[in-house]
Amino acid sequence: MKNSLFKKLASIPTATIAAGQNDSGIIDPAIRPMWSPINLVGVAFTIESISGDNSIVHQAISEAPIGSVIVLNTKYHKEHACVGDIIIRNCIKNELAGFVTNGVMRDLNDCRNLGLPIYATGVCMRGPIKGNDGGIILEKVLFGGVEIQNGDYIIGDDDGLVVVKHKNIKLILDRAYEKEKNEKEVIKRINSGE
């Protein structure tokens, strides 16, 4: 059931999904895909870290269910990369769907070659701090202007990220399919000379 839902979500552009919920759930475009083409669908596993420290991320990856998207709120910290190839390898080993953060990443080329979708605000060579006790897992976070709870759906493509509340997924999917159908009809009419 979940896999077929993910396939349906992956087949629809994020802009269409966003339109299906009156453009709510659109995450700040400063949190952007780190390469293109890219496609991401999964359920949020939320983390809030102490600025510059990614110790909590390692714990979260070991606890996140298969198919999760790590949603890391660093409060736009840009002085230390919070994710790199070691964390992404660990995400892949644990069968996670992707990693999104409002912080920065490093090891871009290695991460791109590994293929797990990453959305971040940019790249920074400086590594993370280690060893602070703190950080929060599975709490509601304000991320890119959107309130995200553990279990909400995270959908991403080259245009960016959109969040759909778990309870609304069927309604939003139905609306998005209807919009896609209407747009295909408009394109057909344009191509026929109208």
Side-chain angles (χ1 to χ4, degrees), residues 14-36:
T14 53
T16 304
I17 292 169
Q21 53 187 11
N22 300 317
D23 286 343
S24 68
I26 297 174
I27 289 178
D28 179 1
I31 302 164
R32 63 188 190 276
M34 289 289 96
W35 55 82
S36 176

Side-chain angles (χ1 to χ4, degrees), residues 5-131:
L5 175 62
F6 284 6
K7 282 180 185 172
K8 287 176 184 175
L9 288 168
S11 72
I12 302 171
T14 53
T16 304
I17 292 169
Q21 53 187 11
N22 300 317
D23 286 343
S24 68
I26 297 174
I27 289 178
D28 179 1
I31 302 164
R32 63 188 190 276
M34 289 289 96
W35 55 82
S36 176
I38 199 165
N39 197 278
L40 169 66
V41 177
V43 291
F45 192 91
T46 58
I47 314 170
E48 191 163 293
S49 68
I50 292 172
S51 292
D53 191 314
N54 75 348
S55 302
I56 194 77
V57 176
H58 294 279
Q59 179 187 338
I61 290 168
S62 69
E63 295 178 10
I66 290 171
S68 296
V69 176
I70 297 294
V71 178
L72 174 60
N73 181 22
T74 70
K75 302 184 181 79
Y76 288 90
H77 181 83
K78 295 191 179 189
E79 293 170 30
H80 300 86
C82 60
V83 58
D85 71 315
I86 299 298
I87 281 180
I88 294 306
R89 288 174 197 278
N90 206 9
C91 287
I92 291 167
K93 179 181 72 91
N94 286 281
E95 299 181 62
L96 304 187
F99 196 106
V100 304
T101 179
N102 52 17
V104 289
M105 67 164 295
R106 68 176 181 174
D107 308 321
L108 178 60
N109 193 51
D110 285 343
C111 289
R112 180 171 42 223
N113 289 336
L114 288 167
L116 189 82
I118 302 173
Y119 290 72
T121 58
V123 178
C124 175
M125 285 182 254
R126 189 179 297 111
I129 302 163
K130 298 286 187 188

